[in-house]
Amino acid sequence: MLDKLQKLESMIGHTPMVKLDHPKINLYAKLEYHNLMNSVKARAAYFILKSAIERGEVTEGSTIIESSSGNFAIALATLCKHVGIHFIPVIDPNINSSYENLLRAVSHEVAKVTERDETGGYLLTRLAKVKELQATIPDAYWTNQYNNPDNFQAHYQGIGAEFAQDFEQLDYVFIGVSTGGTIAGISHRVKEAFPNVKVIAVDSQGSVIFGDKPRKRYIPGIGASIVPGMVTRALIDEVVHVPETKTVQGCHELFTQHALFAGGSSGTSYYAIQEYFKDKEFETPPTVAFICPDNGQAYTSTVYNPQWVEWLQQQNVEDEAVLA
């Protein structure tokens, strides 16, 4: 089983780093959608599954369970299908319909929760479902991307190490946060290589990870309804919260200005960078990097759909009225 899994290793990592035109900074985007199944989550899914198999925690008779808004589930489903073990993703209504269709096609089973939790999101409801499945399925293994130290190692040894190799100097790195594994692993590695680098955490407005007031969110892949354990391990200098309407703006600017057809968290980070540096002046342009975790294919019916964007704007107006 392990040998079969390791045959996919060459399809994960060493993703392109591209320089983007910017008037004030030397800006670079790491295109993680060149990974297996088109997302950064392939790194963590592979490392977590491989490590569990090596430790004997996952065998041919295991059933893998995970709560995921999309990309991690798709990466894990692909890997499990390849090695021939069962996988059950726990999803919610915010998942893209094409992602859900794919998961139902390749997973042993799909569990979908429909009730929002007390924060207005679905994560706590999904995690409760994970616990329920663990209690009822023999040899169930929860990969637990929110607190699994292998998630940290995947990005410390992966993107973090690649940043250290790709740059002679790195001044800022902007990282979108959801499970926290990406920013935890990368932040430790880049600060070892570049002691003065500033790690900027990018979060969605309404996510509770960094103490923002909880509210309904409609774009998956960034933010959370809990504070993941991985976040406490991250070395973070500053936090930027981005409204979801600005996430849409960031995605469209990436596409029209740089021909990068990227997903929601990419647009969130790109918008955060524009806001962060708009009033700053430098004698020497700093070197700034950010991650494009996935491409825009899964967002064609939402972020890149004018009707949906209009709906999102109206939802925000209604949500603001409720919160007021």
Side-chain angles (χ1 to χ4, degrees):
M1 185 166 60
L2 185 60
D3 289 345
K4 195 169 185 180
L5 180 66
Q6 289 175 321
K7 289 179 180 179
L8 300 179
E9 188 168 347
S10 63
M11 302 170 68
I12 299 170
H14 303 289
T15 52
M17 182 81 75
V18 297
K19 191 174 191 300
L20 308 184
D21 290 335
H22 196 281
K24 291 185 176 182
I25 61 178
N26 295 316
L27 181 60
Y28 293 84
K30 190 155 179 64
L31 307 185
E32 285 295 298
Y33 49 77
H34 284 263
N35 279 302
L36 175 73
M37 299 311 290
N38 307 314
S39 88
V40 66
K41 294 293 187 178
R43 293 182 185 261
Y46 176 81
F47 197 92
I48 288 172
L49 184 59
K50 180 173 75 76
S51 300
I53 293 172
E54 289 173 338
R55 292 191 295 264
E57 298 168 357
V58 169
T59 65
E60 287 84 353
S62 297
T63 295
I64 307 297
I65 301 170
E66 185 57 282
S67 158
S68 171
S69 60
N71 283 320
F72 189 80
I74 287 172
L76 205 49
T78 302
L79 298 174
C80 289
K81 187 77 169 180
H82 184 71
V83 300
I85 55 178
H86 289 169
F87 172 61
I88 302 177
V90 180
I91 64 173
D92 65 56
N94 279 345
I95 190 172
N96 178 274
S97 59
S98 63
Y99 276 18
E100 181 172 352
N101 291 338
L102 177 57
L103 286 173
R104 292 191 183 278
V106 300
S107 303
H108 174 65
E109 178 185 337
V110 173
K112 186 174 186 178
V113 303
T114 56
E115 293 183 9
R116 289 188 180 271
D117 56 40
E118 59 263 33
T119 71
Y122 293 99
L123 181 54
L124 298 179
T125 311
R126 293 204 321 253
L127 293 178
K129 186 65 176 179
V130 167
K131 294 291 186 181
E132 177 187 322
L133 292 170
Q134 275 188 291
T136 56
I137 298 174
D139 201 13
Y141 182 85
W142 178 26
T143 45
N144 191 7
Q145 58 175 322
Y146 309 98
N147 286 291
N148 193 325
D150 291 327
N151 193 358
F152 174 99
Q153 285 297 328
H155 296 296
Y156 178 89
Q157 297 181 28
I159 300 176
E162 290 169 28
F163 274 163
Q165 294 166 4
D166 288 343
F167 293 103
E168 293 184 1
Q169 178 62 36
L170 184 60
D171 301 298
Y172 296 86
V173 58
F174 285 70
I175 304 173
V177 181
S178 55
T179 66
T182 305
I183 195 168
I186 292 174
S187 64
H188 278 261
R189 187 65 185 87
V190 297
K191 282 182 177 288
E192 289 173 3
F194 313 105
N196 296 320
V197 68
K198 287 190 176 182
V199 175
I200 314 298
V202 181
D203 198 8
S204 181
Q205 189 178 78
S207 162
V208 307
I209 297 175
F210 299 105
D212 199 29
K213 186 176 181 179
R215 61 182 293 170
K216 291 181 181 178
R217 290 174 290 113
Y218 303 95
I219 301 174
I222 189 168
S225 303
I226 62 171
V227 181
M230 283 288 104
V231 171
T232 64
R233 299 187 62 180
L235 303 176
I236 297 170
D237 295 287
E238 296 180 56
V239 178
V240 178
H241 285 96
V242 176
E244 288 191 314
T245 53
K246 300 304 183 181
T247 288
V248 172
Q249 179 180 326
C251 287
H252 284 258
E253 289 178 357
L254 268 178
F255 187 52
T256 58
Q257 297 174 15
H258 306 290
L260 294 182
F261 185 49
S265 48
S266 308
T268 308
S269 290
Y270 184 71
Y271 180 84
I273 290 168
Q274 307 316 305
E275 286 296 294
Y276 187 88
F277 290 106
K278 70 178 182 181
D279 295 324
K280 291 181 171 61
E281 297 294 337
F282 303 96
E283 290 186 7
T284 302
T287 298
V288 182
F290 73 106
I291 297 168
C292 291
D294 61 359
N295 64 28
Q297 190 63 45
Y299 302 84
T300 54
S301 61
T302 55
V303 170
Y304 294 99
N305 180 338
Q307 288 76 34
W308 186 88
V309 173
E310 185 177 338
W311 172 86
L312 176 66
Q313 292 168 340
Q314 182 58 39
Q315 290 298 123
N316 281 358
V317 170
E318 294 176 4
D319 293 343
E320 290 286 355
V322 171
L323 290 171

